[in-house]
Amino acid sequence: MKKLLKPIKDVGIVGYGAYVPMFRIKNEEIGRVWGVSSFPIQEKSVNNLDEDAITIGIEAARNALKRARIDPREIRALWFGTESKPYAVKPSATVIAEAIGATPELDAADFEFACKAGTEALQAAIGFVGSGMAKYAMAIGADTSQGRPGDHLEFTASAGGAAYIVGEKSNETLAYFEGSYSYVTDTPDFWRRQHEHYPRHGNRFTGEPAYFHQIISAAKGLMEELGYSPNDFDYAVFHQPNVKFPLTAAKILGIPKEKVLPGLLTGVIGNTYSGATLVGISAVLDIAKPGDRILWVSFGSGAGSDAFSLIVQDAIEEKRDLAPKTMDYVNRKKYLDYALYAKHRGKYIL
């Protein structure tokens, strides 16, 4: 039974855009407060007082539109993946659609699947366009992720996101999807119940049965369906809750770390949850050459992974400079101490 996800029509990326807030806090500053001296990353991004998952999604969407060079009213679906939406009841997608001028004739909804909500939205967008139901669809993954004060998640949980506009493959698409593959199991590694402010995690499930099992299974499944080996890919981007996990996944799959490092940003911006894989891919697209093939595997707790094979097209050369590059945001920094960080993140809510 064929398990590769591939629409009737070939679908590609018309435009993409990322956004990372300018504020940062160093891990050593968090460690100073909690008496910790060993850190998973160097520093992480922190949203401003007036920034949330919606505003991050808007900025990313506007950058995607700049590269797509299309009328936003041609977008027939806008799907927003996040686990930190500002409203418990009210879609965030409609706010973003209104802000970019895409309303009212479109489908809009919020997607949830922990950190792979953004790629879930992308799978749906590919299907929507690939079936002929829409000319263009937009998928966004963005978060202002949560970590309880003193918990090890606090060292990595950060803010950022990316947006992708997909359309039927043409000379205007800057990369196209060869196919995708999804893999899910019921694995309770991480969760947050209704009305709880901070998530909880089942430590013994976090690594092997959750992240590594889903990532490796999805990547291998995709490669088997396409008849590829790790050597067929020029870049690989994995969900990045820290620096160690994606490098370990690459090693298990036989992928050299040199193919992973260009899209591995967690060490300097933290884990942007629903935005993590999407932001990593945007950084790779900023430097990739026509003909490059990219392996792309997300992960969401609970648990599951989406794997994609993406081939870069000629249009990347003229489109990537139409909006700020991902590293422009990564390199734009203003540091906070823990007190200001706590104010920005509302840490007084315990």
Side-chain angles (χ1 to χ4, degrees):
M1 182 173 62
K2 197 169 183 64
K3 299 177 181 178
L4 184 72
L5 300 175
K6 187 172 176 62
I8 297 171
K9 298 180 179 181
D10 285 333
V11 175
I13 297 171
V14 179
Y16 70 95
Y19 178 77
V20 179
M22 69 180 294
F23 291 99
R24 303 283 190 277
I25 183 169
K26 291 183 178 291
N27 264 199
E28 63 183 8
E29 172 65 7
I30 300 174
R32 179 186 66 82
V33 173
W34 299 109
V36 177
S37 58
S38 179
F39 313 117
I41 63 173
Q42 178 181 333
E43 59 193 40
K44 67 173 190 172
S45 60
V46 183
N47 53 293
N48 203 346
L49 294 168
D50 60 351
E51 289 183 317
D52 57 23
I54 289 177
T55 64
I56 289 170
I58 290 170
E59 293 297 326
R62 286 173 174 167
N63 285 334
L65 278 168
K66 289 176 183 177
R67 290 193 172 100
R69 296 183 298 197
I70 64 170
D71 186 334
R73 291 172 295 182
E74 293 186 283
I75 297 172
R76 285 294 172 263
L78 190 154
W79 292 316
F80 181 55
T82 187
E83 62 177 80
S84 51
K85 60 181 185 176
Y87 300 98
V89 179
K90 182 190 182 306
S92 299
T94 54
V95 183
I96 298 172
E98 193 78 53
I100 66 171
T103 54
E105 296 173 322
L106 85 164
D107 185 277
D110 295 352
F111 278 58
E112 294 185 15
F113 194 136
C115 294
K116 87 177 185 86
T119 56
E120 284 289 342
L122 182 62
Q123 292 277 41
I126 292 170
F128 214 57
V129 171
S131 69
M133 289 182 67
K135 185 176 182 180
Y136 300 114
M138 177 181 283
I140 305 170
D143 263 309
T144 53
S145 49
Q146 311 89 29
R148 183 181 297 277
D151 188 277
H152 74 257
L153 289 175
E154 188 181 25
F155 289 91
T156 55
S158 65
Y164 290 80
I165 301 172
V166 299
E168 188 175 347
K169 180 190 172 186
S170 69
N171 291 334
E172 289 299 310
T173 47
L174 50 85
Y176 71 92
F177 296 97
E178 290 189 286
S180 60
Y181 183 99
S182 292
Y183 187 96
V184 301
T185 64
D186 183 19
T187 307
D189 61 312
F190 178 92
W191 66 92
R192 177 164 58 86
R193 286 189 175 273
Q194 184 78 347
H195 308 304
E196 288 185 338
H197 190 68
Y198 295 112
R200 303 182 186 187
H201 43 93
N203 289 325
R204 69 188 182 93
F205 292 102
T206 300
E208 180 55 39
Y211 179 92
F212 291 108
H213 179 67
Q214 321 298 317
I215 289 271
I216 302 304
S217 297
K220 285 184 175 180
L222 178 72
M223 286 190 278
E224 288 172 5
E225 289 288 315
L226 291 172
Y228 290 153
S229 74
N231 294 331
D232 292 308
F233 295 93
D234 300 284
Y235 295 97
V237 177
F238 302 101
H239 176 62
Q240 38 201 268
N242 49 46
V243 174
K244 181 180 179 180
F245 274 25
L247 290 177
T248 301
K251 185 176 182 180
I252 293 170
L253 290 167
I255 299 173
K257 69 177 182 179
E258 290 75 20
K259 294 183 178 182
V260 180
L261 293 176
L264 182 53
L265 306 179
T266 295
V268 290
I269 66 169
N271 180 7
T272 57
Y273 283 33
S274 298
T277 316
L278 300 175
V279 173
I281 283 291
S282 71
V284 171
L285 289 174
D286 284 341
I287 61 172
K289 298 177 182 178
D292 284 346
R293 180 179 284 117
I294 305 168
L295 174 64
W296 172 359
V297 191
S298 66
F299 170 76
S301 290
S305 288
D306 298 319
F308 303 84
S309 179
L310 190 68
I311 294 184
V312 180
Q313 297 175 251
D314 292 340
I316 191 73
E317 301 287 11
E318 63 172 309
K319 284 192 169 186
R320 67 170 134 228
D321 291 327
L322 297 177
K325 294 182 179 179
T326 304
M327 293 306 297
D328 294 336
Y329 289 115
V330 173
N331 294 327
R332 183 192 64 158
K333 304 177 183 182
K334 185 174 182 180
Y335 289 100
L336 302 174
D337 61 17
Y338 193 89
L340 284 173
Y341 156 72
K343 180 179 179 181
H344 279 237
R345 294 297 292 122
K347 291 289 182 179
Y348 49 84
I349 302 174
L350 301 177

